[in-house]
Amino acid sequence: MTDEETVGAVARKMVSEDARWIVDALLGAGKSSEEAAGVVALLLIGHSSRIVYEGALAIRSADPYLGVPAVANELKDVHADVITRSRHATKLLDDTKKSLDDLQSEMGGYYARHRQEFTGNSAEWARFMETDLGLYSAAGRLLGATIPLQFRMGILANSKVADLGQQLYEISQEHGSIQALLSQAAGDSSPITYDADYGPLGRIEDSDVLTDRYLSSRYDPALPLEAKLLLLMIEGELNVSSVLLPFTEARHPDAVFRARTIILIHALSGIQQVLGRLNGSSQSPSTQAIRAYVSQPRVQRLLGPGGPRNIRNRCMHYEIKDKSLALDTSKPMNGIVEAVYPEMSFSDFNQEVTNTTTELSDAVRNWTLR
């Protein structure tokens, strides 16, 4: 094949791999229970949106070595605006068009809506028992919280909370039909199998809390509640990466590598942004501990320009514009890691991402008022 043909084939292969991974990851949860399927859908819908959005861009490309007109003609965009917002939320706080203040304000809108719908409705003597934030956790780790998850899903804050379940169902149905088409991007029309087994994880626990009470002891006391909700979203993403994704990694190693790399790069960047706001205003020992961790040269290297950022770009966007990259479909990630970051092998970079994700997850978990 020519360089152009190889690059196009690799991009289409990644689209197909990611589509097959996310369907396996989502539908496999149904083997445990309907409840587990619903929670996993909440936790992974943002990743599905990324694949739908970026995959559709690739399949619709005018590049003859990338686009697949026969598949593109079947794609529909019923929830295009929601998918676009959800895909963009994959970047967490890395939004070039919105400042941290903008994102805090936006998250504040979600909080206000949930507080309005869930509090102030009981008799005055019973209001101390009211809650407005649902938490999902497993293996002792927070996987997600309802308010940040609505932001992550791309559903606007003015939507009624009671309608979110139906909206999630409709979006998931659309995702499923699109993923089925994207799975054929590399020419494989076989049905998608879903064998993900989350059984060893145990039950995904859910609990309800009052947002301001729960967050009063989380992260740094100098942070506004809205910033803490953003950190809650980041913490959930890190734990999804370290707790949930391993159950699908054996069958979909490259797809999980891409998801994990994207999560880590943006989680690190988001945490660094929040720490930058604190400057020297906080002397909290746990804040100083996480600041020291993020400041380590090996961690900062993941945020710098060059290799790690280039790998993240190839994990996020399927189209490869550099047709001269020396790719090899027999290697993990098709040789992309070595091609854009010659200093490291895929194995070494994958291990660094996995280890750093676990370490950062631990650091954020311990980021409490003490």
Side-chain angles (χ1 to χ4, degrees):
M1 289 192 292
T2 65
D3 290 346
E4 291 86 353
E5 290 172 321
T6 299
V7 167
V10 164
R12 287 184 279 105
K13 178 171 175 272
M14 292 194 295
V15 172
S16 178
E17 287 172 343
D18 283 0
R20 290 176 180 274
W21 162 65
I22 199 67
V23 172
D24 184 4
L26 290 169
L27 296 186
K31 293 182 177 180
S32 300
S33 67
E34 287 188 14
E35 180 185 19
V39 175
V40 170
L42 268 174
L43 299 174
L44 295 181
I45 193 69
H47 296 278
S48 183
S49 292
R50 165 179 61 84
I51 296 164
V52 164
Y53 182 95
E54 297 289 344
L57 277 181
I59 296 308
R60 287 170 169 157
S61 172
D63 182 340
Y65 301 110
L66 176 59
V68 186
V71 175
N73 291 337
E74 299 294 321
L75 295 176
K76 298 179 181 178
D77 296 315
V78 178
H79 293 93
D81 55 340
V82 175
I83 290 171
T84 299
R85 287 193 296 270
S86 183
R87 172 264 179 193
H88 203 68
T90 298
K91 299 179 180 181
L92 303 177
L93 309 190
D94 280 342
D95 193 324
T96 57
K97 296 182 180 179
K98 295 178 182 177
S99 66
L100 183 55
D101 286 334
D102 294 332
L103 291 169
Q104 288 181 185
S105 177
E106 198 169 328
M107 188 61 81
Y110 286 95
Y111 168 58
R113 183 71 183 196
H114 282 246
R115 182 179 58 184
Q116 178 187 35
E117 293 204 24
F118 289 113
T119 64
N121 303 313
S122 305
E124 191 167 344
W125 62 268
R127 289 185 181 176
F128 75 96
M129 294 185 291
E130 290 182 327
T131 61
D132 58 5
L133 180 69
L135 305 177
Y136 302 102
S137 59
R141 302 280 177 162
L142 173 80
L143 299 178
T146 51
I147 296 174
L149 281 170
Q150 185 180 343
F151 174 91
R152 187 73 179 84
M153 288 163 61
I155 297 177
L156 294 173
N158 59 10
S159 299
K160 288 186 177 180
V161 178
D163 295 338
L164 294 182
Q166 180 63 30
Q167 288 180 278
L168 176 62
Y169 173 78
E170 292 173 0
I171 294 167
S172 297
Q173 290 294 105
E174 182 180 357
H175 280 205
S177 63
I178 294 174
Q179 302 290 10
L181 291 169
L182 296 179
S183 72
Q184 303 173 37
D188 181 1
S189 59
S190 63
I192 303 176
T193 58
Y194 44 98
D195 302 313
D197 180 10
Y198 300 102
L201 180 62
R203 184 174 180 271
I204 298 179
E205 303 288 341
D206 63 275
S207 58
D208 297 319
V209 298
L210 192 65
T211 302
D212 56 358
R213 185 184 302 153
Y214 172 73
L215 289 176
S216 65
S217 60
R218 296 301 319 274
Y219 315 122
D220 192 280
L223 290 171
L225 183 141
E226 294 82 3
K228 291 184 176 185
L229 283 168
L230 291 171
L231 288 172
L232 201 63
M233 177 174 66
I234 290 174
E235 182 176 0
E237 285 287 306
L238 286 167
N239 289 328
V240 163
S241 181
S242 60
V243 173
L244 207 62
L245 298 194
F247 289 96
T248 62
E249 190 167 9
R251 292 177 303 283
H252 310 278
D254 282 8
V256 168
F257 169 81
R258 287 189 281 273
R260 183 175 286 140
T261 298
I262 291 167
I263 290 170
L264 177 61
I265 297 295
H266 291 298
L268 275 171
S269 177
I271 290 169
Q272 185 164 268
Q273 286 184 58
V274 174
L275 287 171
R277 279 299 180 87
L278 286 170
N279 294 318
S281 64
S282 174
Q283 298 304 316
S284 164
S286 63
T287 296
Q288 299 307 320
I290 196 166
R291 191 191 300 279
Y293 176 79
V294 172
S295 299
Q296 293 180 79
R298 67 178 181 86
V299 176
Q300 282 296 305
R301 186 171 66 244
L302 291 167
L303 291 174
R309 177 59 64 168
N310 291 338
I311 294 172
R312 173 268 174 202
N313 292 343
R314 295 284 58 79
C315 291
M316 183 82 171
H317 309 295
Y318 297 115
E319 182 179 8
I320 303 171
K321 294 184 178 180
D322 184 355
K323 310 300 183 187
S324 66
L325 283 180
L327 304 182
D328 184 344
T329 56
S330 69
K331 292 182 177 180
M333 265 292 285
N334 307 289
I336 287 175
V337 172
E338 291 84 356
V340 303
Y341 194 19
E343 296 91 337
M344 295 192 79
S345 67
F346 171 86
S347 178
D348 288 343
F349 188 79
N350 184 38
Q351 194 62 56
E352 183 167 342
V353 168
T354 302
N355 291 346
T356 305
T357 297
T358 300
E359 293 165 358
L360 187 61
S361 170
D362 288 341
V364 175
R365 184 189 188 196
N366 294 326
W367 195 0
T368 59
L369 179 59
R370 58 179 173 83

